[in-house]
């Protein structure tokens, strides 16, 4: 399994509870296509979970934060099932890294990622929670993404 290992880091990224849950995709979010994942981008991820309706599809919420406290939410998905599935979804964050992930076909044994926009995290000590929402063949499941704090 190529999935990202769960990493917990103090300081800029702290493990958070699912603090952002939306019933629908954010209205102001742009739509982006799924991309192959660069293994060197330094993501911190929550534990991968199986999609309830399609257990061969696993996904997780991740965050990338640079030294300037610019951050983005990333949803990583892998299809380890025996057939292709239709996927879509969105990211949701309290700091504005929100995006709609385009509807697409995900073939077996393929891993893809949907990247939210990069947004600056203000130095206000606030912890910003995030989540990712994956839709597989019309059924949506939510997973947490790491929270971000800039003190």
């Amino acid at each position: 399994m190529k999935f990202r290992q769960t990493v917990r880091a103090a300081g800029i990224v702290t493990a958070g509870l699912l603090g952002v849950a939306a019933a629908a995709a954010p209205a102001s979010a742009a739509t982006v296509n799924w991309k192959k994942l660069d293994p060197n981008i330094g993501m911190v991820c929550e534990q991968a979970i199986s999609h309830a309706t399609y257990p061969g599809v696993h996904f997780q919420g991740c965050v990338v934060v640079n030294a300037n406290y610019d951050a983005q939410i990333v949803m990583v998905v892998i299809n380890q099932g025996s057939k292709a599935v239709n996927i879509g979804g969105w990211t949701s964050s309290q700091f504005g890294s929100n995006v709609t992930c385009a509807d697409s076909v995900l073939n077996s044994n393929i891993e893809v990622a949907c990247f939210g926009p990069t947004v600056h995290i203000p130095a206000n000590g606030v912890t910003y929670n995030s989540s990712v929402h994956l839709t597989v063949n019309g059924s949506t499941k939510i997973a947490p993404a790491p929270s971000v704090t800039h003190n």
Side-chain angles (χ1 to χ4, degrees), residues 80-98:
Q80 294 181 320
S82 60
K83 57 185 171 182
V85 294
N86 294 311
I87 62 169
W90 64 95
T91 66
S92 181
S93 77
Q94 292 177 325
F95 65 91
S97 184
N98 306 324

Side-chain angles (χ1 to χ4, degrees), residues 51-130:
H51 194 281
T53 309
Y54 299 91
V57 176
H58 306 280
F59 72 113
Q60 65 190 138
C62 303
V63 66
V64 178
V65 182
N66 68 19
N68 296 321
Y69 287 91
D70 300 319
Q72 69 183 138
I73 301 301
V74 182
M75 177 166 36
V76 179
V77 182
I78 189 167
N79 180 4
Q80 294 181 320
S82 60
K83 57 185 171 182
V85 294
N86 294 311
I87 62 169
W90 64 95
T91 66
S92 181
S93 77
Q94 292 177 325
F95 65 91
S97 184
N98 306 324
V99 71
T100 300
C101 306
D103 292 337
S104 183
V105 173
L106 181 60
N107 292 315
S108 293
N109 299 310
I110 301 292
E111 180 182 46
V112 293
C114 177
F115 293 85
T118 301
V119 178
H120 183 72
I121 305 298
N124 57 10
V126 173
T127 297
Y128 296 96
N129 295 310
S130 303

